[in-house]
Amino acid sequence: MKYKKSAGQNAKERILDVSEKLFAEGSFASVSVRTVTSAANVNLSAVNYYFGSKKGLFQAVYVRRATLMNHERLGLLQKAVGKAQQEGRAVSVRELINAMLTPPIFWLYEEEKGLSGYIRFLARAYLEAASDMENVLSQEVDVFDKFVPYFQEVNPSLTVEDIYWRIHFIMGVMHHTINHLDRIGLLSHTACSVETREQTRDRMVAFCCEGF
Amino acid sequence: MKYKKSAGQNAKERILDVSEKLFAEGSFASVSVRTVTSAANVNLSAVNYYFGSKKGLFQAVYVRRATLMNHERLGLLQKAVGKAQQEGRAVSVRELINAMLTPPIFWLYEEEKGLSGYIRFLARAYLEAASDMENVLSQEVDVFDKFVPYFQEVNPSLTVEDIYWRIHFIMGVMHHTINHLDRIGLLSHTACSVETREQTRDRMVAFCCEGF
DNA sequence: CTGCTTTCTAAACGTATGTTTTAAACGATA
DNA sequence: TATCGTTTAAAACATACGTTTAGAAAGCAG
């Protein structure tokens, strides 16, 4: 029941790869279907054939890696939970924030597999018209919800409100770093370099831990 | 030497007001000249007449309030510096971060004068194509440079690199709050409300102070 | 009023947009 | 080989875009 042609199923993947990168660098409206299709070396109508519409393509780009992304975060969370239980203690703030930030930041440095593009795409998707992309955000929100009880456990004096505000700030640190990592040198007059992914992650985690 | 007509100079201001609001809610490419002109009740060609081009309009929106914005920040900085000198001490981290964050956050809550729109516009301008808008960012970068020596004075163990990274994170907290303040209730499942401008500012300052 | 500059209007220009249509090329199956 | 569903291709569609043009309307100076 499988049908293939010259590029076959690759065409669909190639469109996703290319538009992921393009949507990461520009807004939804600024990236045209023609730019996508010519960069992917497919016919103009391929986008509408495979994804129905431009918006459909955008959502498909999101969906492709969304589950994997949040899977990694929850994996790190459960790993930390297991380790803490074994040692008979509560999960630390550092471990929690580490689980939230490590996947996106490591992906950000993973140019080869295209993961970097996806992360930057995600950060931009947050700013597209809320009405279109609310479902885009809902999944990430659900993941962060799972962290809340642990934050509460490790610091019972905090209200739920306090915790959500701090998660909000952590997301800010994360998104801004994703969006402007390449401009950090310009901001600092070349005082800051891009460093390794671990160094960047550690800087962020340290900053956010203290904030908590 | 002044010439006026029906609406006269108001037309130009009205275009700026309207496009400030529209550019705050959507990307540069997603806001059309026709949307702007019809919302401002002016002729289609008014944008090109007054600002030369759509991009010219965008930059004019930025320029109109840019100096005032950074003036307020530097004013707060110098006020804090003066008070500290009088008391024979160094400027505190809290005072510095307060001077950085109070103007934009207070403006964010100032719906009437349109300042809220400008702040949201600014946060979005950071994400427009770097080549077009680098000059947009340069001024804000210059302002933050002025804060660096004071951060160094209050905490001499920090390197310049450390400081710039933390300023970068503070900008992240700020931009994210500006972009998503209206969604904080959704993120937290209505656990968080929008609060007053002072409460929001204090939450941000507290988080960023600890991060430093 | 007469000149002159500024402001506003309506229409058109050329191009770029997302999408649809029509048909050809292809791979697997029978 | 003939057939069927899938994929690719080229062209056209209708609309939306930023910008330009030509001229009318309006305000000021003499």
Side-chain angles (χ1 to χ4, degrees):
Chain A
M1 277 297 187
K2 268 192 182 176
Y3 296 89
K4 285 188 186 177
K5 204 183 168 182
S6 61
Q9 196 142 351
N10 285 8
K12 197 173 176 180
E13 289 286 324
R14 218 160 352 121
I15 294 174
L16 286 171
D17 288 340
V18 161
S19 44
E20 187 177 68
K21 208 169 290 182
L22 290 172
F23 282 139
E25 284 157 12
S27 66
F28 178 77
S30 76
V31 176
S32 74
V33 175
R34 282 171 172 82
T35 311
V36 170
T37 52
S38 76
N41 268 315
V42 297
N43 189 267
L44 169 60
S45 46
V47 162
N48 293 277
Y49 175 72
Y50 284 114
F51 307 101
S53 66
K54 186 187 179 184
K55 192 180 290 182
L57 167 62
F58 190 89
Q59 289 173 337
V61 170
Y62 166 70
V63 167
R64 182 166 64 147
R65 305 196 207 268
T67 53
L68 177 60
M69 168 75 191
N70 290 320
H71 216 74
E72 280 195 22
R73 274 206 263 235
L74 291 178
L76 286 181
L77 172 62
Q78 284 170 6
K79 198 171 153 188
V81 169
K83 192 180 171 192
Q85 275 182 338
Q86 204 171 2
E87 299 175 6
R89 56 170 177 84
V91 190
S92 71
V93 170
R94 168 171 292 273
E95 286 170 317
L96 292 171
I97 293 178
N98 193 68
M100 293 170 77
L101 295 183
T102 297
I105 295 307
F106 276 24
W107 281 29
L108 184 60
Y109 280 82
E110 204 79 38
E111 295 282 359
E112 337 154 7
K113 299 178 195 164
L115 299 182
S116 173
Y118 181 73
I119 287 297
R120 274 146 52 223
F121 162 85
L122 256 192
R124 270 194 188 274
Y126 266 77
L127 287 170
E128 293 296 338
S131 56
D132 297 336
M133 309 300 164
E134 261 176 15
N135 48 341
V136 170
L137 315 183
S138 62
Q139 197 170 348
E140 193 152 8
V141 170
D142 290 346
V143 171
F144 287 138
D145 283 344
K146 299 219 170 71
F147 283 79
V148 173
Y150 297 102
F151 279 121
Q152 228 166 355
E153 189 186 351
V154 72
N155 194 339
S157 69
L158 292 179
T159 68
V160 178
E161 194 177 358
D162 290 331
I163 292 171
Y164 272 112
W165 268 103
R166 288 165 200 207
I167 289 178
H168 165 84
F169 292 146
I170 291 172
M171 288 177 69
V173 168
M174 181 185 81
H175 277 123
H176 201 253
T177 302
I178 291 168
N179 282 324
H180 302 299
L181 182 64
D182 51 346
R183 279 194 237 178
I184 184 83
L186 194 138
L187 167 73
S188 67
H189 309 286
T190 69
C192 299
S193 52
V194 181
E195 313 184 313
T196 69
R197 58 185 197 175
E198 284 84 4
Q199 286 171 313
T200 302
R201 190 265 320 267
D202 292 342
R203 279 190 189 279
M204 292 172 60
V205 171
F207 185 88
C208 292
C209 278
E210 297 302 324
F212 238 92
Chain B
M1 277 291 187
K2 269 192 181 176
Y3 296 90
K4 284 188 186 177
K5 205 183 167 181
S6 61
Q9 196 143 349
N10 285 9
K12 198 174 176 180
E13 289 285 324
R14 219 164 347 125
I15 294 173
L16 287 172
D17 287 340
V18 161
S19 43
E20 188 176 67
K21 208 168 288 183
L22 290 172
F23 282 140
E25 284 157 12
S27 66
F28 178 78
S30 76
V31 176
S32 73
V33 175
R34 283 172 170 82
T35 311
V36 170
T37 52
S38 77
N41 268 316
V42 297
N43 190 267
L44 169 60
S45 47
V47 162
N48 293 277
Y49 176 72
Y50 283 113
F51 307 100
S53 67
K54 186 187 177 183
K55 193 181 290 183
L57 167 61
F58 190 88
Q59 290 172 338
V61 170
Y62 167 71
V63 167
R64 181 167 63 149
R65 305 197 208 266
T67 52
L68 177 60
M69 168 76 192
N70 290 319
H71 215 74
E72 280 195 21
R73 276 206 262 233
L74 292 178
L76 287 181
L77 172 61
Q78 284 170 5
K79 198 170 154 189
V81 169
K83 192 179 171 193
Q85 275 182 337
Q86 203 170 2
E87 299 176 7
R89 55 169 178 86
V91 190
S92 70
V93 170
R94 166 170 294 273
E95 285 170 318
L96 291 171
I97 293 179
N98 193 68
M100 293 170 78
L101 296 183
T102 297
I105 296 306
F106 276 25
W107 281 30
L108 183 61
Y109 280 81
E110 204 78 39
E111 295 282 0
E112 336 153 9
K113 298 179 196 163
L115 298 182
S116 172
Y118 181 72
I119 286 297
R120 274 148 50 224
F121 162 84
L122 255 192
R124 271 193 188 274
Y126 265 78
L127 288 170
E128 294 296 338
S131 56
D132 297 337
M133 309 299 163
E134 260 175 17
N135 48 341
V136 170
L137 314 182
S138 63
Q139 195 170 349
E140 193 152 7
V141 170
D142 290 346
V143 172
F144 287 139
D145 283 345
K146 300 218 170 72
F147 282 79
V148 173
Y150 297 103
F151 279 121
Q152 230 166 352
E153 189 186 350
V154 73
N155 194 340
S157 67
L158 293 179
T159 67
V160 177
E161 194 177 358
D162 291 331
I163 292 171
Y164 272 111
W165 268 103
R166 287 163 202 206
I167 289 178
H168 165 84
F169 292 145
I170 292 173
M171 287 177 69
V173 168
M174 181 186 79
H175 277 125
H176 201 254
T177 302
I178 291 167
N179 282 324
H180 303 299
L181 182 63
D182 50 348
R183 278 195 239 177
I184 183 81
L186 194 138
L187 166 73
S188 68
H189 308 286
T190 69
C192 299
S193 52
V194 182
E195 312 184 314
T196 69
R197 58 184 198 178
E198 283 83 5
Q199 286 172 314
T200 301
R201 190 265 321 268
D202 291 342
R203 280 191 188 278
M204 292 173 59
V205 171
F207 184 88
C208 293
C209 277
E210 297 301 323
F212 237 91

